[in-house]
Amino acid sequence: MKINTKYIAFLGLLLAFSVSAGYFERFIPPMIPAVPGIKLGLPNITVIILMYLKDYKTAFALNILRVILSGLLFAGIWGMVYGLSGAILSFIIMAVLKKSKIFGTAGISAAGGVCHNLGQICVAAILVNNIKMFYYFPVLIIFGVASGIIIGYLAGLLINRLNKIDLGRL
């Protein structure tokens, strides 16, 4: 089996971008100070790019690896648990919507943003044993859709640019 070093380097760059973007997001002040935990979701650009330019398996693996690395480096074990719950649920929904071919990158990303928040709030409700955590969910839906559209739009622009490069050789 031939090892494709260009492909490994490409995935390494995407992983590095993804982890770095997640770290950078920590320094962006909340849009609404009374609503903690809302992020733009910049690392999800790499997931969407890989879903469109490569395959689901690679996108999923990079997504999980990103959450684990970010958890180990920045967020700790509980941050990793919350991150994995959101990442897995959002990935499943985004993959199903992409296969349906009904939505573009912005719609898929918006659904992913909402489902990421849903996964995290489900884990939070279980861990603190309090269903009232879901009172926060309508606010998370609004911001998940808004940030998902932005991230999906940016990912779409990058996909168009990367399509001009022959990534098939990677």
Side-chain angles (χ1 to χ4, degrees):
M1 179 174 158
K2 182 180 174 187
I3 297 174
N4 188 337
T5 54
K6 288 181 182 180
Y7 185 59
I8 293 169
F10 175 69
L11 293 178
L13 286 172
L14 287 179
L15 180 60
F17 168 79
S18 190
V19 171
S20 300
Y23 180 71
F24 172 74
E25 272 189 337
R26 296 175 175 280
F27 298 105
I28 299 173
M31 292 175 250
I32 300 174
V35 185
I38 294 175
K39 296 180 184 173
L40 192 55
L42 291 171
N44 292 325
I45 290 173
T46 58
V47 176
I48 295 168
I49 287 172
L50 284 173
M51 286 175 87
Y52 275 83
L53 298 182
K54 287 298 177 184
D55 56 63
Y56 294 106
K57 186 169 84 171
T58 305
F60 183 76
L62 185 122
N63 197 22
I64 298 304
L65 189 55
R66 173 197 54 91
V67 172
I68 291 170
L69 283 173
S70 295
L72 291 172
L73 292 170
F74 316 122
I77 189 73
W78 292 112
M80 194 183 317
V81 168
Y82 286 111
L84 283 170
S85 64
I88 292 169
L89 181 60
S90 67
F91 185 86
I92 291 167
I93 297 304
M94 289 191 303
V96 167
L97 291 178
K98 183 184 176 295
K99 280 187 178 186
S100 77
K101 300 183 189 239
I102 295 172
F103 299 96
T105 55
I108 290 169
S109 179
V114 170
C115 289
H116 187 90
N117 291 334
L118 177 61
Q120 288 186 328
I121 209 152
C122 285
V123 167
I126 291 167
L127 289 176
V128 299
N129 197 24
N130 189 344
I131 195 106
K132 291 181 181 178
M133 297 293 289
F134 284 96
Y135 289 147
Y136 189 44
F137 191 55
V139 173
L140 293 177
I141 290 173
I142 293 166
F143 285 98
V145 168
S147 64
I149 289 171
I150 293 167
I151 294 304
Y153 176 75
L154 292 173
L157 291 176
L158 288 169
I159 289 165
N160 289 336
R161 300 269 178 161
L162 289 170
N163 270 331
K164 294 177 183 175
I165 302 169
D166 187 9
L167 292 178
R169 293 183 295 150
L170 291 179

